[in-house]
Amino acid sequence: MRKLIYISLLFPFFLFGQMHIQSNALVHVAEGANLEVGGDLNNQGVIQNVGRITLYKDWLTNGNFNGIEGSIQFIGIADQLAPTGELATGELIINSLGNVSFPGSEYTVLDRLDLQFGNIIPGESTRFVLDQNAQVFGGSTDSYFAGSLINRGSGIKIFPVGSDGVYAPITLLNVFGVNTEIQAAYSRNNPYDPVPGDSLLGVSHRGLWEMELLNGGTDETQVEIKFSEEDLSDFRISNNIRHRVNSPVIAIASSPEGVYESIGIESLLNSDTLTFGTIIGKKSLSLSLGQKLYLAMALAPRIPDVGLYYIPEAFSPQASDARNQTLRVFGEGILEEGFDLQIFNRYGVNVYSTNSFVEANENGWNGENQKTGSDEPTGIYYYTVKFRFKTGLPVQKSGVFYLIR
């Protein structure tokens, strides 16, 4: 009969080479302790982790692991490998100069996923789950989840997904259900030419989000998308719709090719309106068990009626579309007489003013200080506008917008 070998680590411990845990050994990493393994970790015994395990190379085998209260950190200088089989951990930190592959059947993060550097690459049939109380930190073009990610439970659910160097997180803002599991993934390119519905000018083929309710149920939920490196001016299939001004929107379909319909826009922040920004859809998503939904960025016309007007929330003098290179005022039936538009920087300094609606509508503010001729920097700006419609209806409003360079 083989004797059980018990090792308890109470303080930080660094092992330069490979660590091999025999089948009759139990290694306990206590709270506050950090087991750093400079070589491969080969576990054929038992690991109990309530501290932290830091890996510089691969985790080759996982005999028995109990780490739901502990932390695992990948911090290598090349691609790394997580153990096969199933694994659950309280915290997972990715801070590797390479990617970290998770080829096993199921991985669960209970408390915290921290994406600092390096991507998570799941296997083709891997279930990677963020448990109901798990929080997401970090995420960038240097670190994202490159595959299908599952979020469990209710609340705000963040999916830090990306593909081919593009970080494209999608967030469900108000999930409320029972035994809910929702899966999301992002593809850099749509393999089909997306077909726009009658209300859309076109749908981007650059990015595609896929969502599916795997288990349980949920009420309708709003969705937020952070998009980048899109092209909302060059569509493979487009509609010719008469319009004066357009806006990015989130579009939805039941298949990658469409037909796509707009769910509208509730807010658009930090955007040049054509290639990047953060957008929240106006209509909520309805997820049904086993039914996949596909989301993409699209462009929709905004056709102001008499009595309605529109001032964009952002513009960029460097935008690829000249229509989005200035801040303009849009509307029908606005009188020239009595019109007044004032723009101020964050210090309250007036940088632009006009008493002409024609000027504000056709040219607008190009981001230059009207008095000095110098370019104003990126940031938040404030406006006041006052005018009357031909119907006699008066308008006096103040607001904010974002200048992006």
Side-chain angles (χ1 to χ4, degrees):
M1 181 176 178
R2 301 179 68 186
K3 293 182 179 180
L4 175 66
I5 301 172
Y6 179 81
I7 302 173
S8 181
L9 300 177
L10 304 178
F11 305 100
F13 178 80
F14 183 83
L15 181 66
F16 284 95
Q18 178 175 332
M19 183 175 188
H20 178 78
I21 302 174
Q22 298 179 359
S23 59
N24 63 329
L26 186 153
V27 175
H28 175 79
V29 184
E31 184 178 358
N34 182 12
L35 171 60
E36 296 188 66
V37 183
D40 295 336
L41 173 60
N42 188 348
N43 174 33
Q44 295 181 348
V46 178
I47 298 177
Q48 294 177 345
N49 180 33
V50 292
R52 173 172 292 177
I53 298 175
T54 299
L55 300 168
Y56 289 82
K57 290 192 175 180
D58 297 337
W59 188 334
L60 297 179
T61 59
N62 184 28
N64 191 302
F65 179 79
N66 183 355
I68 61 175
E69 298 179 7
S71 172
I72 299 173
Q73 178 176 222
F74 288 89
I75 194 170
I77 60 174
D79 290 347
Q80 292 182 262
L81 183 67
T84 57
E86 296 184 4
L87 184 143
T89 181
E91 179 183 59
L92 177 63
I93 302 171
I94 306 297
N95 190 16
S96 176
L97 293 181
N99 296 322
V100 183
S101 296
F102 288 78
S105 58
E106 182 162 336
Y107 303 89
T108 304
V109 178
L110 286 88
D111 299 319
R112 177 186 174 106
L113 174 64
D114 191 350
L115 297 169
Q116 298 179 13
F117 211 92
N119 302 323
I120 293 178
I121 312 293
E124 290 186 6
S125 58
T126 298
R127 275 176 51 91
F128 199 109
V129 181
L130 299 180
D131 206 35
Q132 56 185 355
N133 295 319
Q135 295 180 300
V136 175
F137 295 86
S140 66
T141 56
D142 296 318
S143 188
Y144 52 78
F145 191 93
S148 296
L149 178 62
I150 300 170
N151 252 302
R152 183 180 288 159
S154 298
I156 299 174
K157 297 301 171 182
I158 301 172
F159 299 84
V161 292
S163 174
D164 297 329
V166 176
Y167 179 52
I170 183 169
T171 302
L172 299 180
L173 298 176
N174 43 6
V175 175
F176 183 77
V178 179
N179 300 322
T180 305
E181 285 190 346
I182 300 173
Q183 178 174 276
Y186 172 77
S187 299
R188 179 67 187 93
N189 293 293
N190 190 331
Y192 301 92
D193 293 341
V195 180
D198 293 340
S199 64
L200 294 173
L201 296 168
V203 178
S204 173
H205 60 275
R206 290 289 182 89
L208 181 68
W209 291 265
E210 178 186 298
M211 305 209 73
E212 182 179 1
L213 179 64
L214 298 180
N215 289 302
T218 179
D219 293 344
E220 292 185 346
T221 176
Q222 277 189 293
V223 61
E224 175 187 278
I225 285 178
K226 184 175 181 179
F227 63 99
S228 62
E229 298 189 30
E230 290 283 355
D231 186 354
L232 296 178
S233 60
D234 181 20
F235 300 114
R236 291 177 176 171
I237 302 175
S238 59
N239 289 324
N240 185 15
I241 303 174
R242 181 180 176 272
H243 66 288
R244 290 180 179 271
V245 62
N246 52 50
S247 170
V249 295
I250 300 174
I252 188 171
S254 58
S255 64
E257 61 268 31
V259 176
Y260 284 84
E261 300 297 339
S262 171
I263 63 170
I265 172 175
E266 181 169 292
S267 68
L268 177 66
L269 300 173
N270 302 331
S271 177
D272 68 349
T273 72
L274 288 175
T275 61
F276 64 88
T278 300
I279 186 171
I280 297 177
K282 189 174 184 63
K283 299 178 182 177
S284 295
L285 297 184
S286 179
L287 297 169
S288 300
L289 197 62
Q291 177 188 2
K292 293 182 179 180
L293 293 179
Y294 296 88
L295 294 89
M297 292 304 303
L299 201 63
R302 286 192 175 185
I303 308 175
D305 298 321
V306 174
L308 297 179
Y309 67 97
Y310 169 65
I311 300 175
E313 295 175 335
F315 80 99
S316 174
Q318 283 77 43
S320 57
D321 190 330
R323 294 171 297 180
N324 296 293
Q325 293 176 356
T326 60
L327 184 90
R328 296 183 289 164
V329 179
F330 300 92
E332 296 286 347
I334 294 177
L335 292 173
E336 180 79 0
E337 182 181 357
F339 181 88
D340 181 72
L341 172 65
Q342 306 288 329
I343 295 177
F344 306 87
N345 64 19
R346 60 176 178 159
Y347 303 108
V349 176
N350 185 280
V351 296
Y352 176 81
S353 65
T354 181
N355 296 119
S356 169
F357 170 65
V358 174
E359 164 65 22
N361 176 254
E362 295 182 358
N363 298 318
W365 183 48
N366 63 2
E368 290 184 0
N369 188 305
Q370 197 174 48
K371 297 178 181 178
T372 67
S374 59
D375 290 340
E376 289 291 319
T378 293
I380 293 177
Y381 290 77
Y382 305 86
Y383 70 84
T384 62
V385 66
K386 181 172 65 175
F387 58 84
R388 286 182 178 273
F389 288 100
K390 292 178 180 179
T391 59
L393 176 69
V395 172
Q396 186 168 349
K397 184 187 176 184
S398 60
V400 299
F401 63 91
Y402 205 81
L403 166 62
I404 302 167
R405 291 196 180 275

